[in-house]
Amino acid sequence: MKIAITKYSALVVVDIQNDFCAENGALPVPGCHSIIENVNKYIEMFERAKRVIVASRDWHPPNHISFKMRGGPWPPHCVQGSAGADFYPGLKLPDKAIIISKGTDPDAEAYSAFDKTELHYILSKLGVRRVFVCGVATEYCVRATVKDALELGYEVILLGDAIAGIGEESSREAIMEMIRSGAVLAEFKDLLT
Ligand SMILES: [Zn+2]
């Protein structure tokens, strides 16, 4: 069965930023650059259908709690205003895309695009009920975003051909977990255009 981009649908593009996708990025996600073409195809599809397009970005203060210097798991990445925090240049974001910055509180971890952001408020106001999620990293920010969306009552379509993770096994497990939680795994060919 084909999945429709209903009137109440939005595309959520998670964290396609230089530090994750560029060759010299601070926290490279293997395969990030290989999904860009597909991410852009989805963006075009949603633009053509005149649907909401959201792009989230990690937007950390220089002393963010997730950084190693503070005992966190990650090297500094996506520091507010740095080149590493810029969207990857290959990403074709329309001007009207809604940009959601997350992880802005120095003392709070935040992987989900819904975590202490306006995203749920904005989508609710626009009447969005179904979100299509793509981006990086599968087992971190994509997973957290999908799980929050499900908990908030959205129908979630995980775009399997436009996500990339840090580890192969951990990505597979995360995908299974998202499906168990209620997400529908789909690819470009599954969508009604
Ligand atoms: Zn981060």
Side-chain angles (χ1 to χ4, degrees):
M1 205 186 67
K2 294 264 188 181
I3 298 167
I5 301 174
T6 60
K7 192 176 170 204
Y8 305 107
S9 294
L11 177 67
V12 178
V13 180
V14 178
D15 298 11
I16 302 288
Q17 294 167 271
N18 283 332
D19 272 341
F20 300 127
C21 297
E23 236 166 88
N24 58 351
L27 185 44
V29 177
C32 182
H33 60 272
S34 70
I35 62 165
I36 299 298
E37 197 180 318
N38 283 347
V39 171
N40 285 334
K41 274 198 329 197
Y42 286 116
I43 290 173
E44 270 171 39
M45 189 187 251
F46 275 71
E47 254 197 307
R48 237 183 298 122
K50 297 193 167 59
R51 298 294 174 254
V52 178
I53 297 169
V54 174
S56 74
R57 61 179 182 184
D58 244 4
W59 196 243
H60 298 315
N63 60 340
H64 191 247
I65 192 164
S66 76
F67 296 170
K68 279 184 177 143
M69 61 180 87
R70 290 201 55 199
W74 309 117
H77 62 276
C78 300
V79 173
Q80 294 170 6
S82 70
D86 284 345
F87 286 113
Y88 184 66
L91 181 69
K92 291 184 188 143
L93 268 188
D95 290 339
K96 63 173 192 329
I98 297 164
I99 309 298
I100 297 291
S101 301
K102 63 190 175 64
T104 58
D105 178 345
D107 299 317
E109 289 265 25
Y111 291 105
S112 160
F114 290 96
D115 195 349
K116 296 180 201 75
T117 69
E118 302 250 274
L119 183 54
H120 180 48
Y121 173 79
I122 292 167
L123 294 181
S124 306
K125 275 203 109 167
L126 294 168
V128 170
R129 301 298 318 138
R130 175 176 286 183
V131 293
F132 293 70
V133 181
C134 61
V136 297
T138 306
E139 67 272 61
Y140 292 98
C141 294
V142 169
R143 173 181 167 275
T145 300
V146 163
K147 294 200 82 175
D148 274 356
L150 288 165
E151 269 171 39
L152 289 163
Y154 294 94
E155 292 174 1
V156 179
I157 316 297
L158 177 64
L159 299 170
D161 53 359
I163 53 174
I166 291 177
E168 234 173 88
E169 189 55 38
S170 52
S171 296
R172 241 194 319 273
E173 278 168 20
I175 291 169
M176 294 315 291
E177 185 190 344
M178 289 185 266
I179 293 170
R180 275 198 306 274
S181 304
V184 173
L185 183 63
E187 296 192 348
F188 200 78
K189 62 174 168 46
D190 302 317
L191 268 54
L192 204 60
T193 54

